[in-house]
Amino acid sequence: MNKQQEEFAQIKITYHSEVLERETEEILWAIPVDTEKGLFKIDNIPFYGPELSCEDIVLASVSQDKAVYNFEQVYQYSGNSTIQVIVQSEKYNKEDLYNEILYAQTEIELVDEYYFVINVPEGTCYKNVYAILAALEDEKVITFAEVCLSPKHASDIR
C-alpha cells in the first residue's frame, strides 16, 4: 500500500449531472476524519457533482466491496465554493485565463482544455473572483455556473 492509499479514502458520489445531462458517478479523494462515524474531508474539487466543495466533511458508508465509500450527505460545509467553467473561445490563451483566476486566490482542477472547476476558499473575497468571471463571460470567453456558493461568498457579491 502506498502512502496516498494509507492517508486517503475514495468517496463515490452518484447523482444526476446537469452538465453531462445523465446519471453519473464521480470518485473524490478524501481524508479520513473519523472512520468509525463515517466522516471524511473532501480533498479535491468535485468536477460535476452535487452541491459539494473541497474541504466539506461528508458522511459516507463502506461499499460492499470495501474498495470505496459511498457518499450519503454533507455533514459540515467548509465555507468554500465550487464554480464550474466552460471555455467558449479557442482564441483565448488558456494559461492567461488560468493565471487570472488563480491570481484571485483560488484553486483550479482541469477536466480538459474546455472545462475546469474552481475552488474558492472561504477566506477569499468572492467579489474579486466574480468580477473576473463575469468580465470573461461578457467577452464570451467562458460561461460559468456557481454550483455550490457558500453563504459568505453569496454575501460578498450582494
Side-chain angles (χ1 to χ4, degrees):
M1 185 177 275
N2 67 34
K3 188 173 181 178
Q4 184 164 356
Q5 289 173 323
E6 291 173 17
E7 296 176 6
F8 290 88
Q10 291 184 317
I11 308 290
K12 179 173 73 171
I13 301 176
T14 306
Y15 55 91
H16 179 80
S17 170
E18 296 298 326
V19 173
L20 299 174
E21 298 178 340
R22 63 180 162 86
E23 291 298 312
T24 190
E25 64 180 47
E26 184 172 350
I27 303 290
L28 299 175
W29 287 104
I31 300 167
V33 173
D34 186 335
T35 53
E36 287 184 21
K37 292 181 180 177
L39 298 176
F40 299 86
K41 184 179 192 179
I42 300 299
D43 193 53
N44 62 303
I45 310 167
F47 288 133
Y48 306 105
E51 294 185 20
L52 188 65
S53 288
C54 187
E55 299 183 355
D56 285 355
I57 296 176
V58 300
L59 181 63
S61 58
V62 178
S63 64
Q64 285 184 340
D65 65 5
K66 298 184 181 182
V68 298
Y69 291 83
N70 294 316
F71 171 81
E72 293 183 14
Q73 67 184 45
V74 176
Y75 180 80
Q76 180 181 352
Y77 289 98
S78 62
N80 294 353
S81 294
T82 302
I83 312 300
Q84 297 170 336
V85 179
I86 296 173
V87 179
Q88 296 182 307
S89 173
E90 293 181 25
K91 297 176 187 174
Y92 202 83
N93 181 310
K94 295 205 177 42
E95 290 301 314
D96 289 345
L97 171 65
Y98 305 147
N99 287 333
E100 191 171 352
I101 293 167
L102 289 169
Y103 185 73
Q105 300 176 334
T106 65
E107 300 166 329
I108 293 175
E109 283 199 38
L110 303 174
V111 175
D112 58 38
E113 60 182 299
Y114 295 103
Y115 181 75
F116 62 93
V117 288
I118 302 171
N119 178 52
V120 183
E122 181 180 27
T124 297
C125 179
Y126 185 63
K127 185 176 185 178
N128 299 333
V129 177
Y130 183 83
I132 293 167
L133 295 173
L136 290 166
E137 190 169 60
D138 286 347
E139 295 171 24
K140 306 229 183 302
V141 172
I142 66 162
T143 187
F144 70 98
E146 299 164 322
V147 292
C148 185
L149 193 62
S150 74
K152 186 259 185 207
H153 291 142
S155 72
D156 286 349
I157 57 175
R158 282 192 200 129

